Amino acid sequence: MYVAVKGGERAIDNAHLLQAKLRRGDTRIPELSVDQVREQMPLAVARVMSEGSLYDPQLAALAIKQAAGDLMEAIFLLRAYRTTLPRFTASTPLDTTQMQLSRRISATFKDLPGGQLLGPTFDYSHRLLDFALLAEGEHPGPQVNPDAELSDCPRVLEFLAEENLMAREVDDGVAVPDITREPLDFPASRAQRLQALARGDEGFLLALGYSTQRGYGRNHPFAGEIRIGELEIWLEPEELGFAVPLGDIEVTECEMVNQFVGGKGIDAQFTRGYGLAFGYAERKAMGMALVDRSLRAAEYAEELEGPAQQEEFVLMHCDNVEAAGFVSHLKLPHYVDFQSELELIRKLRKQEREQPAAEEQRA
Amino acid sequence: MNRNLLHSDPQIATRQRWMGVLARAGTGLMTYEAALKEAEYSLIRAPEIGMTLVRGRMGGTGSPFNLGEMSVTRCVVRLIDGSTGYSYVAGRDKQHAELAALADAHLQGPEQQHWLSLMIEPLAADQQRQQAAKAAETATTQVEFFTLVRGED
């Protein structure tokens, strides 16, 4: 059957022009600048950088503007741009104890070296709309003692490791797999899983993490430590032969303390879940840490009883660019596929109608 | 500055320090543009935008894994006296990368002291001030627990 596939060009061009007009909105209102998005929507920028898998606040802000605030569309734009750039080399692995902290909390120890630093947060707020923001205003922040300094903040889970209540994480020296270069295979390594989760959808990881808390693969977590702050990134270019600092990026790290394992000659001990994300992205890092732990079920010979423990299910569905793409493709013309289904269902109907009649005749 | 990554050779360590200051300086380098471009130079590698794959460690201390990429601009210049300067700076600012590479070249030359005191020291002091101001701001949110005395003793 011949199907018309041309003729949509003008309509498509105009649809894009209309979309741009929709994005701009009422022209009596000043246009949003990329700098405004970057500076005044830092949490949206953080999400787009994390899931877009490219740390560049200006480009993430541009993507948010272009996508008219649709963060998944913005993530898609950033992912697409990312493929146009050459990769120089990998960074020196981050040492998060070197972070210039803007927030650091622990839900497992009240008094700890360095203390609990709340930093900027929505926690403890009443979630009442602040009508004062309908007007423009200055927000100078708290009264600061300019001489105040932060004390050293050692890693909280290290206290447990020192007491042998938790295994210490050590570098096994294995080459780092890259799921953007070699496709995932199952069972995946923890490094592959963490890379997939780091790019994964915040909502999906949050829901899966929540499901483990509600009993679908319990792992009884505590937020051992959450850190947010700026970290200096280093890389070692071949031509120089020594590591070079490039500047700072903001990251969020979450270390969960989870239910213990033991028996069969192994002392009872806590287990770990780890989350790391670009920018101020606490919910993302927590969701990631919960799912990292639940995906370690096989390592601890735990029974797989929840979706969050199903490695292939989680890793194949956590990427929102892939998910949105496959769901979106349903909007593409399926005229031929549908015609064949339509014919089939008509044929079935016809058979159903004719068969009883034929049986009646025979009787 | 992550001191653990500083080279054991003090000369290289000093260079790592100034490269870090230059990478953080951003548009702050514009102040020195005229001075940096006074000597003739050629671009060995014109400013080029690319990415570095940022790696974290499992549990903060374990095996590395890929977190995501970040944009980086790099540049190599050679001064007329033959000294070569390199830059790798976060972001996509080609001018920043070129000025940082120029500064790196000058800093390796005979006038190192001049460039250190003219440019690196004030930039580093400024960056330290900004970090201290940020830390002081964060310090206002430090929780100070107090315990209520209950019962007789």
Side-chain angles (χ1 to χ4, degrees):
Chain A
M1 183 173 30
Y2 178 76
V3 182
V5 289
K6 283 194 162 187
E9 279 164 54
R10 193 182 50 88
I12 290 170
D13 287 345
N14 287 340
H16 290 163
L17 292 173
L18 263 189
Q19 173 61 36
K21 189 176 176 218
L22 170 74
R23 174 183 61 69
R24 176 60 184 89
D26 187 340
T27 50
R28 286 170 299 182
I29 294 173
E31 184 172 347
L32 193 59
S33 75
V34 170
D35 285 344
Q36 284 173 331
V37 178
R38 195 193 66 223
E39 286 300 310
Q40 297 174 37
M41 297 191 152
L43 305 194
V45 167
R47 180 164 183 193
V48 170
M49 293 193 301
S50 253
E51 295 169 32
S53 206
L54 178 67
Y55 192 96
D56 190 312
Q58 191 195 33
L59 289 181
L62 170 63
I64 292 168
K65 176 176 173 174
Q66 187 181 331
D70 179 342
L71 296 191
M72 261 186 228
E73 180 70 19
I75 289 161
F76 194 173
L77 290 170
L78 205 60
R79 284 268 186 100
Y81 174 79
R82 186 191 151 275
T83 63
T84 67
L85 292 181
R87 182 189 282 170
F88 296 152
T89 177
S91 81
T92 309
L94 305 183
D95 177 358
T96 47
T97 56
Q98 301 283 332
M99 212 185 266
Q100 154 129 39
L101 291 168
S102 55
R103 174 165 166 83
R104 185 264 198 145
I105 54 168
S106 169
T108 51
F109 297 101
K110 180 165 65 95
D111 296 305
L112 73 172
Q116 311 260 1
L117 306 165
L118 301 183
T121 180
F122 295 123
D123 294 351
Y124 325 104
S125 72
H126 296 290
R127 266 71 183 206
L128 298 173
L129 278 174
D130 179 2
F131 290 97
L133 291 177
L134 284 172
E136 286 168 23
E138 298 296 318
H139 301 272
Q143 277 276 315
V144 175
N145 167 13
D147 300 323
E149 287 176 14
L150 299 177
S151 344
D152 204 27
C153 291
R155 208 169 264 294
V156 173
L157 268 54
E158 186 56 26
F159 303 132
L160 295 171
E162 266 165 25
E163 274 192 71
N164 236 341
L165 295 172
M166 177 178 250
R168 193 170 263 128
E169 297 261 16
V170 284
D171 188 346
D172 59 14
V174 173
V176 186
D178 180 3
I179 62 166
T180 67
R181 296 283 163 99
E182 311 106 32
L184 261 179
D185 45 3
F186 298 101
S189 66
R190 191 171 173 216
Q192 287 174 309
R193 294 198 303 253
L194 286 169
Q195 185 179 9
L197 298 178
R199 299 155 62 88
D201 182 75
E202 176 176 321
F204 185 74
L205 299 184
L206 178 72
L208 283 175
Y210 178 44
S211 75
T212 66
Q213 287 179 282
R214 290 196 63 254
Y216 293 87
R218 282 173 58 81
N219 53 38
H220 200 71
F222 296 94
E225 184 173 16
I226 295 173
R227 298 175 172 245
I228 303 178
E230 302 240 309
L231 255 180
E232 193 172 53
I233 304 298
W234 291 60
L235 66 76
E236 194 170 331
E238 264 178 38
E239 71 257 32
L240 287 178
F242 57 86
V244 173
L246 312 177
D248 307 291
I249 68 171
E250 187 182 32
V251 298
T252 303
E253 180 187 48
C254 172
E255 290 204 82
M256 289 282 181
V257 179
N258 298 80
Q259 87 180 6
F260 34 86
V261 291
K264 293 176 190 156
I266 303 166
D267 289 335
Q269 52 185 299
F270 292 111
T271 55
R272 296 163 177 267
Y274 190 66
L276 189 64
F278 285 146
Y280 189 119
E282 195 165 75
R283 201 187 297 114
K284 166 69 188 268
M286 292 179 80
M288 177 174 169
L290 289 172
V291 177
D292 171 46
R293 173 60 186 86
S294 64
L295 290 178
R296 301 180 74 183
E299 202 178 311
Y300 298 119
E302 290 164 344
E303 213 177 312
L304 302 188
E305 48 196 9
Q309 296 168 310
Q310 309 279 345
E311 179 179 89
E312 190 169 341
F313 174 77
V314 173
L315 299 187
M316 291 305 287
H317 300 112
C318 67
D319 190 304
N320 60 26
V321 175
E322 281 172 23
F326 203 58
V327 171
S328 279
H329 107 282
L330 296 176
K331 294 182 290 184
L332 291 175
H334 280 70
Y335 306 136
V336 178
D337 301 80
F338 189 67
Q339 275 303 321
S340 70
E341 299 257 322
L342 205 57
E343 266 172 42
L344 182 65
I345 203 166
R346 283 193 176 125
K347 213 161 98 190
L348 289 172
R349 280 286 183 87
K350 204 173 153 206
Q351 276 174 2
E352 275 168 23
R353 266 199 310 271
E354 282 169 1
Q355 257 171 358
E359 275 164 24
E360 261 171 48
Q361 271 184 352
R362 247 180 275 139
Chain B
M1 171 86 31
N2 186 346
R3 287 189 183 82
N4 305 330
L5 291 167
L6 287 176
H7 205 271
S8 54
D9 178 342
Q11 266 191 332
I12 296 179
T14 311
R15 188 165 170 209
Q16 286 173 310
R17 282 207 175 85
W18 78 55
M19 287 178 95
V21 171
L22 293 168
R24 277 199 179 126
T27 50
L29 286 183
M30 290 301 291
T31 320
Y32 308 98
E33 187 183 12
L36 287 168
K37 289 187 170 172
E38 227 167 75
E40 251 182 81
Y41 70 99
S42 54
L43 291 171
I44 302 294
R45 182 165 63 205
E48 180 193 11
I49 298 171
M51 303 181 293
T52 179
L53 183 56
V54 180
R55 287 188 170 153
R57 285 190 183 280
M58 302 173 189
T61 56
S63 300
F65 68 92
N66 300 320
L67 172 62
E69 325 241 10
M70 68 184 277
S71 55
V72 179
T73 308
R74 66 178 180 186
C75 180
V76 185
V77 301
R78 183 170 293 148
L79 296 179
I80 195 140
D81 70 6
S83 39
T84 316
Y86 287 78
S87 71
Y88 279 84
V89 300
R92 289 168 300 109
D93 186 342
K94 289 184 173 180
Q95 195 168 29
H96 176 197
E98 187 170 332
L99 292 177
L102 266 173
D104 182 52
H106 283 296
L107 279 154
Q108 292 172 75
E111 293 193 66
Q112 186 183 77
Q113 263 321 314
H114 163 75
W115 289 106
L116 281 174
S117 53
L118 175 80
M119 189 171 56
I120 299 300
E121 281 160 22
L123 284 172
D126 199 39
Q127 290 167 11
Q128 261 159 23
R129 260 194 304 278
Q130 282 176 26
Q131 287 189 343
K134 234 173 160 179
E137 228 174 35
T138 305
T140 65
T141 64
Q142 174 145 12
V143 181
E144 303 201 13
F145 291 105
F146 58 91
T147 325
L148 290 172
V149 180
R150 291 173 62 176
E152 293 302 305
D153 41 12

